[in-house]
Amino acid sequence: MRNARKMWAALVAPALLLTGCSLLQSKASDQGLAGVGDPYFPTYGNSGYDVAHYGLKVRFDPSSGRLDGTNTVRATATQPLDRFHLDLYGLTVATVTVDGQPAEATREADELIITPKAPIAKGAAFTTEIAYGGRPADTPEKDAENNGFFTSRRGAVAVGEPQSAAAWFPVNDHPSDKALYDIELTVPAGYSGISNGLLRGRSEQADGWNSWQWQVTSPMASYLALMAVGRYRVVQGVHKGKPMITAIAAKVPVGEADENLARTPEVADFLETIAGPYPFDAYGGIVVADRRVEDEMESQTRPVYTAATWEDGPDTGILAHELAHQWFGDSVSVATWQDIWLNEGFATYAEWLWLEHDGGPTLQQQYDQRYADRKSELWEVPPGDPGREEIFSDSVYERGGMTLIALRKLVGDEKFSAILRTWTQRHRDGNANTADFIALAEQTSGQQLDAFFDKWLYAKGRPS
Ligand SMILES: [Zn+2]
C-alpha cells in the first residue's frame, strides 16, 4: 500500500479492537479460537485449521447493493475441532454444511462459529460450505484500511489492509493462512466483475447476468483478495507469455491512467533485475473511481490504483511500489503484522531504485535528504516494531527503505543483491518474519549484523 495520508491509524485504532475480544476467553481445548495470536492484532484470523482453498461464488447487484455468496472452504484441522471460527463482518448466514452435513452456525460479533455434527480429528481434511448474503457494511470515509468495502450507485470495490476480506466473504482473515482461490463474480450485463489472477471464463446466466471466473494459482493472503464491480474499460493482453488484464473505471478520463497502467510490464521487468523472476502467472492492475478509496493497494496480480493516482500527471513510482509488493508482501508475506516493514520498506526501496533508473533522484539522494533531517519523525518510530497504530507510518516505509540502503552499503552490492534474490526465492508463496531476514543477511554476508539491525529497526533515534 502507499498511503495518501499520514497518521490514519489514530482514527481507526479503536475500531480495530472490536473484533471478537470476548472470544479470547474461550479455553476449551477442542475449539478453534478467534485469533491466531498476532502480536498487534491478536483477534485477527482464527486458530485450529489451515485453509487450502476458497471456492467463492458471489453475486452483486449494484442497484440494491446486495451481495449473495457461497463459499466452499477446503481446510485441514491442525488440532481436534469440536467447533471452529471464520471471520465475517455483518452479512447474514443462511446455511452451513461441513463435509456435506448440515452444521450449526452462531454469530458472535464479527465471528462465525461453526459446530459440525461430528468433531473433526487433528490432521483431517474437511470442507465447509457457507451460503450467506446481505448488504456489506459500507466503510466509513477515511477508514479504508479496516473492513474496506465501498458501495456506490456505480458498483462496489472491496480493498483494504490489514483487513478487508471478511467484508465480503467468510475467511480466516490473517496473512499467515494463505490459500488458493477460485472467485466467480456474477454481475449485471454491461458491468465487469474484476478479481485476482487468471480470467478462466465469462459465462452468461439465464437472467442475462454475466459470471466472471477468476483463478488464483499461487497462495494468496486474504487481505490481497480483490472484488470490484462496475463499468470498466477492460484490456486483455499478454506479457512474457502471461496474461495481462487491466481495468479502468469508465468514469476515469481516457488518457493518463491508461498510459501509466500500460507501463506495468516495463516496470515489472525492471523489478525482476533486483528481486528475481516475477512470482505470479498474471499481470495487471485496476483503477477504481470511488474517491473514498484513497490508497493504492497491492492486490495480488492486480494492484488497485485510485481515481487520484494519475489525475495530476504521470507517476511510475507508484507502479514500481505496488508491483514490488508482488514479490515483497504478496509472494513473500508477513508472518505477523509487526513485520510490515518487510512489505513497505522493501517496496519503498524498489520504488526509489526505479525512480533512479527512470531519471529521478538517486538512491543516495533519497537517503541523504531524509538522513539530514535530525528532527524527522522517522527517528521516533522503530520500523521493526512500530506498534499497531503506526504500521503504516512514514518510518515503516522510508526508514525501512533506508535500512536496506544502509545494509547494501555495509555488505556491498553483490552480497546485497544475493540477499534480496535468496529472500524472494526461499520464501516464495510463503510467510517470513524479520528474524528470518536478519538471519539470511548474516548468513549471506558472513557478518554479525545484530547491532546494525537493532539501531535501524528497533531503536528510537537516528542511527549513527
Ligand atoms: Zn506499499
Side-chain angles (χ1 to χ4, degrees):
M1 182 164 70
R2 196 169 73 173
N3 44 349
R5 47 181 195 283
K6 315 293 179 194
M7 306 304 289
W8 65 273
L11 296 167
V12 303
L16 296 175
L17 299 174
L18 295 176
T19 309
C21 291
S22 62
L23 299 163
L24 285 177
Q25 307 308 319
S26 306
K27 287 289 183 222
S29 61
D30 287 358
Q31 296 187 164
L33 301 182
V36 295
D38 188 283
Y40 287 179
F41 305 104
T43 62
Y44 280 19
N46 308 282
S47 70
Y49 62 92
D50 178 16
V51 176
H53 183 268
Y54 293 98
L56 258 174
K57 293 186 177 196
V58 168
R59 183 184 175 91
F60 185 77
D61 184 351
S63 69
S64 65
R66 187 176 170 87
L67 180 153
D68 286 286
T70 60
N71 189 8
T72 306
V73 185
R74 295 206 318 261
T76 300
T78 55
Q79 63 169 71
L81 288 176
D82 287 335
R83 50 185 248 184
F84 60 91
H85 289 237
L86 288 163
D87 303 303
L88 182 64
Y89 299 141
L91 301 173
T92 301
V93 171
T95 60
V96 177
T97 64
V98 175
D99 292 332
Q101 298 291 313
E104 189 189 309
T106 55
R107 300 295 294 279
E108 219 172 297
D110 294 324
E111 301 286 326
L112 165 62
I113 304 161
I114 297 175
T115 307
K117 258 200 174 118
I120 302 168
K122 180 181 177 178
F126 65 97
T127 300
T128 182
E129 186 171 314
I130 302 115
Y132 64 100
R135 284 175 59 100
D138 219 24
T139 300
E141 204 168 351
K142 298 200 181 300
D143 193 8
E145 290 85 355
N146 189 38
N147 185 12
F149 200 96
F150 304 88
T151 315
S152 71
R153 285 179 294 111
R154 293 185 192 85
V157 56
V159 60
E161 184 183 5
Q163 279 196 315
S164 56
W168 61 289
F169 62 96
V171 56
N172 191 15
D173 210 357
H174 190 271
S176 57
D177 191 2
K178 296 168 76 166
L180 303 179
Y181 289 71
D182 279 280
I183 301 172
E184 180 183 282
L185 300 178
T186 301
V187 297
Y191 285 77
S192 302
I194 308 294
S195 190
N196 313 84
L198 302 168
L199 181 56
R200 288 300 193 194
R202 260 181 297 186
S203 52
E204 193 177 328
Q205 307 297 307
D207 56 7
W209 287 39
N210 293 311
S211 294
W212 298 56
Q213 285 117 12
W214 300 91
Q215 187 173 34
V216 177
T217 54
S218 297
M220 179 166 80
S222 53
Y223 76 98
L224 300 169
L226 167 69
M227 169 191 148
V229 174
R231 296 184 188 274
Y232 284 89
R233 298 192 288 281
V234 178
V235 176
Q236 297 196 55
V238 176
H239 179 63
K240 288 188 168 174
K242 298 175 178 181
M244 155 130 170
I245 303 177
T246 59
I248 299 175
K251 198 182 162 230
V252 173
V254 174
E256 205 68 69
D258 305 70
E259 286 159 26
N260 279 271
L261 197 52
R263 293 186 70 184
T264 292
E266 175 194 351
V267 177
D269 287 355
F270 170 79
L271 294 171
E272 285 192 329
T273 66
I274 57 167
Y278 182 75
F280 301 125
D281 57 6
Y283 294 92
I286 180 169
V287 182
V288 301
D290 196 318
R291 295 263 167 195
R292 291 169 298 176
V293 180
E294 295 183 330
D295 298 326
E296 294 84 2
M297 181 65 211
E298 62 269 25
S299 306
Q300 191 159 310
T301 69
R302 202 145 292 116
V304 174
Y305 305 96
T306 75
T309 303
W310 290 298
E311 205 168 31
D312 299 326
D315 177 359
T316 50
I318 187 62
L319 282 178
H321 185 102
E322 303 310 332
L323 291 170
H325 276 308
Q326 303 304 309
W327 287 264
F328 305 111
D330 295 10
S331 176
V332 182
S333 299
V334 293
T336 75
W337 286 110
Q338 187 187 324
D339 302 312
I340 185 69
W341 87 279
L342 295 172
N343 292 6
E344 301 304 347
F346 285 54
T348 301
Y349 172 79
E351 178 182 341
W352 289 343
L353 210 56
W354 161 263
L355 291 174
E356 179 179 75
H357 168 81
D358 203 37
T362 64
L363 214 49
Q364 190 63 45
Q365 286 169 331
Q366 298 275 16
Y367 180 98
D368 290 345
Q369 178 208 333
R370 288 168 179 82
Y371 192 80
D373 183 0
R374 291 173 174 278
K375 290 181 178 160
S376 167
E377 65 183 51
L378 297 183
W379 317 128
E380 297 303 310
V381 178
D385 190 6
R388 77 169 149 203
E389 292 177 20
E390 299 286 349
I391 60 171
F392 297 117
S393 65
D394 287 350
S395 172
V396 168
Y397 288 71
E398 299 178 14
R399 186 168 155 186
M402 293 170 77
T403 301
L404 294 178
I405 297 174
L407 177 65
R408 181 172 160 175
K409 273 189 210 156
L410 189 64
V411 304
D413 288 354
E414 205 174 312
K415 284 188 169 146
F416 181 76
S417 168
I419 291 168
L420 284 195
R421 283 166 168 275
T422 307
W423 180 249
T424 56
Q425 203 176 5
R426 182 177 290 179
H427 300 291
R428 183 174 178 170
D429 293 336
N431 297 84
N433 61 31
T434 304
D436 296 325
F437 184 74
I438 294 173
L440 172 63
E442 290 188 336
Q443 181 197 10
T444 309
S445 67
Q447 296 186 40
Q448 224 307 325
L449 297 171
D450 282 348
F452 170 85
F453 282 112
D454 276 350
K455 70 182 177 185
W456 272 101
L457 292 180
Y458 295 111
K460 284 193 180 188
R462 191 175 75 153
S464 52

